[in-house]
Amino acid sequence: MPKRVHSASDRDESESTGPSKRTRKVADLADICQEFYNDVRAHKTDDGRNPSESFVRLPNKRASADYYNSISDPIDFTQIQQKIHSEEYTTLEQLYDDIELLINNAKSFYRKNSSEWKDANELSKYFYSKTKSETIDSYYFEEFFTAIYNAQIDDRPITDIFLFLPSRKIYPDYYLIVTKPIDLKMIAMKIQNNEYCTLDDMENDLLLMIANARKYNDPKSQIYKDACALKKIITNVRNELDSALKSSNDRLRLRKRDVLLSSEVANTEYPEEPDDEEILPSQTDDADSETSSLGDEDDLYRILYNAVRYYKLGAQSLIDPFMKLPNRRFHQDY
């Protein structure tokens, strides 16, 4: 039977009966994009702030010329909304890319811990929690931790002092000065408990640890200098991990270990607090005090030990790295 030849009138009639499949598909995608956009725009922090409000419109070009000199591809939520209305997005991933670009622009330009940077960071956390395909593999957190823990300067390990918080008995003033104490063990525990959603979260904790050390210790002390050096290392490692995340060839996944360092550190016990009688009083007796028993050889040893044990250079104790031998598993060469 010969095939029927469709006339022009037949085609016109079929096209007028309703929208094409492609048109319906684009309309459905626009609805999905709009729903996701509304969800991101409606997100609020625990204190009721809407972080997306900071990025509804780009900064004024005349007042913020430096923004446009720094950001090569500026975008705001108003432009994203217009692209949804004009059905410019052909995939949901394109919308994701624009929102991620907006967030990265803000975090790149604004000073860290400024209100705009914090809003961008909050949006980043929410955005990645909504896009499961963009979730960071936990192994990147392990790589981040391992690189920082093994940091050295001239073959000298510099992170031992950051492994545990200072003793509350010996350094009670530390907890009056530092309001958010954190150490490498706490960071390791958060990795093990899957508490980090993004590398930003972990980097923030590491930088808080550095800020605490610089806040408490004298700028001339070695721990202060080590903290400054470690801050640069944290930034460099983070940049390397960002590059690895963007690369199609993921080298990091090949370097898997039988035992994760964060697990080892998380399960390491905190040092025992000293007994009260072992703590040197803040006001020691004068050497010529009638109550001093300097003739007793044991007391002479105790006085010498305590003088060395609790000596400080500014606010920094010099004895801490020598209180315990290095961990056999981590420092077999010792």
Side-chain angles (χ1 to χ4, degrees):
M1 182 177 181
K3 293 183 179 179
R4 179 188 174 196
V5 178
H6 293 275
S7 65
S9 60
D10 290 336
R11 288 195 297 271
D12 291 341
E13 182 180 353
S14 63
E15 289 175 359
S16 63
T17 56
S20 67
K21 288 184 178 180
R22 183 181 182 280
T23 303
R24 289 197 301 272
K25 184 176 181 180
V26 170
D28 290 343
L29 177 61
D31 290 340
I32 294 172
C33 289
Q34 186 65 57
E35 183 179 356
F36 186 84
Y37 173 90
N38 292 342
D39 199 11
V40 173
R41 288 281 285 114
H43 172 64
K44 292 185 178 181
T45 60
D46 293 337
D47 57 2
R49 287 187 310 102
N50 187 330
S52 65
E53 288 295 327
S54 299
F55 313 109
V56 173
R57 291 195 177 278
L58 289 168
N60 182 281
K61 286 190 175 182
R62 179 174 295 180
S64 305
D66 53 340
Y67 180 90
Y68 295 91
N69 291 332
S70 302
I71 303 302
S72 59
D73 195 5
I75 192 170
D76 57 25
F77 275 117
T78 300
Q79 293 174 350
I80 293 174
Q81 178 66 89
Q82 290 171 349
K83 292 176 75 172
I84 295 174
H85 281 166
S86 59
E87 298 181 348
E88 291 184 39
Y89 294 119
T90 57
T91 66
L92 188 58
E93 284 70 26
Q94 291 176 351
L95 172 64
Y96 290 168
D97 289 343
D98 274 355
I99 295 177
E100 189 172 24
L101 173 63
L102 181 151
I103 292 170
N104 290 338
N105 285 350
K107 295 180 73 173
S108 172
F109 177 76
Y110 292 107
R111 181 174 51 82
K112 194 155 194 173
N113 292 326
S114 64
S115 60
E116 294 87 354
W117 189 94
K118 289 180 179 178
D119 285 343
N121 195 47
E122 178 63 32
L123 275 180
S124 177
K125 293 179 183 178
Y126 184 71
F127 173 72
Y128 286 124
S129 71
K130 297 291 291 183
T131 56
K132 293 182 179 180
S133 61
E134 297 288 342
T135 301
I136 302 296
D137 191 308
S138 61
Y139 197 69
Y140 284 94
F141 300 120
E142 187 65 31
E143 285 293 328
F144 203 172
F145 183 84
T146 301
I148 299 308
Y149 183 88
N150 292 328
Q152 296 185 357
I153 297 178
D154 297 329
D155 295 328
R156 176 178 63 85
I158 62 174
T159 56
D160 288 351
I161 197 70
F162 300 100
L163 184 56
F164 303 124
L165 289 171
S167 164
R168 286 185 176 272
K169 285 188 176 182
I170 301 175
Y171 306 106
D173 58 331
Y174 179 89
Y175 296 91
L176 297 176
I177 296 171
V178 175
T179 56
K180 294 181 178 179
I182 192 168
D183 58 22
L184 285 175
K185 175 177 167 65
M186 295 167 66
I187 292 172
M189 292 172 67
K190 293 178 78 170
I191 293 174
Q192 290 299 301
N193 295 331
N194 297 317
E195 294 183 36
Y196 291 125
C197 295
T198 67
L199 289 175
D200 279 337
D201 296 338
M202 183 173 170
E203 183 184 21
N204 289 340
D205 276 353
L206 288 167
L207 293 177
L208 173 62
M209 182 182 73
I210 298 302
N212 290 346
R214 296 173 63 177
K215 185 176 183 179
Y216 180 74
N217 294 281
D218 189 283
K220 295 181 180 179
S221 66
Q222 187 61 54
I223 189 173
Y224 187 98
K225 295 175 183 178
D226 285 348
C228 293
L230 191 58
K231 182 179 180 181
K232 294 180 181 179
I233 294 173
I234 290 170
T235 301
N236 290 338
V237 173
R238 170 62 198 276
N239 290 338
E240 290 177 4
L241 290 173
D242 281 342
S243 298
L245 278 168
K246 295 175 183 178
S247 172
S248 57
N249 296 323
D250 192 349
R251 316 181 270 107
L252 295 179
R253 294 174 187 268
L254 301 177
R255 302 205 306 259
K256 293 194 174 182
R257 303 176 180 86
D258 293 333
V259 180
L260 299 181
L261 181 60
S262 65
S263 176
E264 292 279 353
V265 174
N267 292 317
T268 302
E269 296 292 334
Y270 277 107
E272 293 184 5
E273 290 282 7
D275 296 332
D276 292 338
E277 59 269 19
E278 295 178 355
I279 301 176
L280 186 69
S282 57
Q283 298 294 330
T284 57
D285 294 332
D286 292 335
D288 58 353
S289 170
E290 294 180 1
T291 59
S292 298
S293 54
L294 296 181
D296 190 326
E297 189 174 358
D298 289 340
D299 285 343
L300 286 174
Y301 290 144
R302 181 178 293 277
I303 290 171
L304 177 60
Y305 172 81
N306 284 339
V308 175
R309 171 69 180 85
Y310 300 106
Y311 177 75
K312 287 186 178 182
L313 180 62
Q316 180 197 10
S317 170
L318 301 181
I319 202 71
D320 286 351
F322 309 102
M323 289 304 295
K324 289 185 67 176
L325 288 171
N327 186 292
R328 287 180 182 273
R329 178 167 292 178
F330 301 152
H331 302 284
Q332 293 181 9
D333 52 340
Y334 182 89

